[in-house]
Each structure stands twice: as structure tokens, then as C-alpha cells.
Amino acid sequence: NLSDSKDIVVDTTAPTLTITDDKTDKTNGDVTYTFQFSENVTGFNADDITLTSGTKGTFTPVSGSKYTLVVTPPSGTEGADLGLSVGTGLTDVAGNAIASTTTAGAQAWDTKPPVISSFSSSTATGSFKKDGVINITANASENLQPGAQITVTLDSGATVVLTSTSVAGTLTNVLSGSYTVGAGQNSADLKISSYTLGTNAAAPKDAVGNAMTSTTVPTGSNLSDSKDIVVDTTAPTLTITDDQTDKTN
């Protein structure tokens, strides 16, 4: 028979393409995309791949029908989809061309570090003496992981550790702590002078692991911008005078 003397393949079916990646959620790191064709294709390389956001990295031919590409998301940004696709024109060995564009599923990214956006207090406006207790709250630009901490220095001279209110499974953007007024501490309108970031397990990080780096106190969003809290630990003094300058009758 003909097949006994020749290997002649009749193929009129265009290849199909499935694109997947190695992430199941928003990411702050490299994404590896896998391109799986239904059959071997010719000439496929990184130039055939369109990317809306990010940078193409290592392109690897695994086989004639399988390839991978590493994509690095843009630094210091976030978005809903890196926007990767492969257009038409690629052919199999017989010359059948892919007729439609294949688009990867949306891959969100977040490489933007969180920042402290405001300071506030759940304590009502008022005056506080020694041993008075005042809530100090910091609000971050996004939810933080459990255990995150910052240490604020108040203009009264005190330092207070603020800890994230997040718990496993329920993240918030709030860090909170209590300030107990000490002897000799005073402020006409309590505010945050500066703050430092926790380290190791207490380092403030967002849900995908971006670490907070800025320690800039937000302009116009300090504690004193939302509350009039006076800290006064100085007892009044009294001076007594009379209206005579000498012996009088």
C-alpha cells in the first residue's frame, strides 16, 4: 500500500492554543506563562506574544508544542491584568494557520508598597492628665498582614507601638495602640512627630507581601488634623500679690 512506502500526512486542521500561568491570585512577583499548542508549530518565539503590562523575560521551548515565558510585572504599580495574548498566523508543520487570537486569563499584580495614609483616634476630643489613656490609630493605604507594627513618636515625647488589627482570614488596613500619658508629657494639640517600621514578623506588608518602606508622616492627615487632644501633666502654680508697696494703715 502507499503507506507502506511513503509517510504522507494529510492535515487540514489548524492548531489550537491554551495559555495558562503559575499563579492563582494577585501576585507581586514573576509570572510563568505556559503555551500549550494542540500540535507542533513552527517559528513560535517571544516576538509572537503581545504583553500590555510588564516585561518579557526568559522564553523557553519545552517541545514543538509547548513553550514558557516569564513575565515581570511593572514595579511600584498594581493592575487587574498583565494582558498577554498570542495573535494569528502561527502554523503547524502542514502550514495550517491559527485563525484567531488567544488571550490568557486575567492575571492581576500588585508591586506597590503600602503607606500610612492617615493618623486618627477613637478617643474623643478633650484634655488628658497623667495616666489618661488615648487611642492612637494609623490607617494604611491597603490591608496589612497580621502582626504588622509601627512605632510612633508623639509630640508629647512618648512612643507608642501600633499593631495591625488584621487576623488570619480577615485583613484590615488599621493599626491601633493605646497611649498612657506619663509624667512630664505635654502637648497643646497631640500629633505624631515621626514613626518607624516593625521588622521581621512585625514588618508591615500588604496581602501579597509588598513591604512598607516609607516613614513619611502624611501631610494634612495627622492626628491633630482630626482631633483636638490636649495632654497636660503640669499642675497650676499660684502667685499672691496685694495692692500695697509699704506699711499701710
Side-chain angles (χ1 to χ4, degrees), residues 33 46 49-56 69 71-74 77 79-86 101-107 109:
Y33 285 90
I49 302 167
T50 299
L51 189 63
T52 302
S53 300
T55 303
K56 297 178 188 178
L69 174 69
V71 173
T72 301
T77 63
D81 187 12
L82 291 170
L84 183 142
S85 63
V86 174
T101 297
T102 304
T103 301
Q107 176 58 61
W109 81 93

Side-chain angles (χ1 to χ4, degrees), residues 132-180:
V133 179
I134 303 167
N135 166 264
I136 307 294
T137 296
N139 300 290
S141 57
E142 54 187 308
N143 290 343
L144 301 176
Q145 295 182 13
Q149 292 183 332
I150 65 172
T151 299
V152 299
T153 299
L154 305 174
D155 68 335
S156 65
T159 58
V160 182
V161 176
L162 309 186
T163 302
S164 171
T165 60
S166 295
V167 295
T170 305
L171 303 186
T172 77
N173 69 328
V174 176
L175 303 100
S176 184
S178 293
Y179 165 40
T180 301

Side-chain angles (χ1 to χ4, degrees), residues 107-221:
Q107 176 58 61
W109 81 93
D110 178 4
T111 58
K112 187 176 181 178
V115 297
I116 298 299
S117 54
S118 67
F119 288 102
S120 59
S121 176
S122 61
T123 302
T125 290
S127 296
F128 297 82
K129 61 181 182 179
K130 183 179 179 296
D131 296 327
V133 179
I134 303 167
N135 166 264
I136 307 294
T137 296
N139 300 290
S141 57
E142 54 187 308
N143 290 343
L144 301 176
Q145 295 182 13
Q149 292 183 332
I150 65 172
T151 299
V152 299
T153 299
L154 305 174
D155 68 335
S156 65
T159 58
V160 182
V161 176
L162 309 186
T163 302
S164 171
T165 60
S166 295
V167 295
T170 305
L171 303 186
T172 77
N173 69 328
V174 176
L175 303 100
S176 184
S178 293
Y179 165 40
T180 301
V181 178
Q185 296 176 355
N186 297 282
S187 172
D189 191 1
L190 190 65
K191 58 179 169 287
I192 284 74
S193 297
S194 62
Y195 65 94
T196 58
L197 305 176
T199 58
N200 300 321
K205 297 179 182 179
D206 65 15
V208 297
N210 295 308
M212 187 177 294
T213 58
S214 173
T215 55
T216 300
V217 177
T219 302
S221 297

